[in-house]
Amino acid sequence: METLEGLAALNHAVELLTGKTADELRNTPINEQRRDIEARLGRPVRVMSHFPFIGRGNVMRDRVITREQIERDLDKILR
C-alpha cells in the first residue's frame, strides 16, 4: 500500500512542477516538451547528455528529432 501512496505522491509532485501528468509527459515527444517549455520560459532550453544513449533513443548531439523520424530512418536502413 505504501508503494501506491508513494507513486501517487510522485505523480502529484510531477504535476505540480510541470503542469502536466506523468502520463502526458511520457506520451509527449521530447521536441514538443521542449517547445512548450521554451514558450513558457521565454528562453531556449539546452538538452545535455552525460551518458551515451544506446539503442533507438531520440536525442541527437546536434538536434532533437521525433520518434516518427527515427522509425523512418531505421526502416530505410533495414531495407
Side-chain angles (χ1 to χ4, degrees):
M1 188 59 86
E2 291 178 18
T3 304
L4 292 176
E5 292 170 0
L7 185 58
L10 175 64
N11 286 335
H12 182 68
V14 166
E15 194 168 347
L16 286 175
L17 184 64
T18 65
K20 295 184 177 190
T21 66
D23 286 333
E24 287 174 325
L25 291 173
R26 242 182 252 113
N27 295 320
T28 304
I30 195 168
N31 61 329
E32 289 180 25
Q33 290 180 31
R34 182 179 187 168
R35 187 173 46 239
D36 292 345
I37 292 169
E38 287 177 346
R40 190 172 63 226
L41 295 178
R43 60 182 168 85
V45 171
R46 250 178 96 186
V47 177
M48 298 182 345
S49 169
H50 297 283
F51 58 93
F53 283 90
I54 299 172
R56 298 170 76 177
N58 63 351
V59 176
M60 308 298 284
R61 286 186 185 178
D62 59 338
R63 60 193 166 97
V64 177
I65 61 175
T66 65
R67 179 183 307 268
E68 291 79 17
Q69 182 63 43
I70 292 169
E71 294 296 331
R72 280 194 301 271
D73 291 348
L74 184 65
D75 289 341
K76 190 165 79 174
I77 291 166
L78 293 176
R79 286 186 201 161

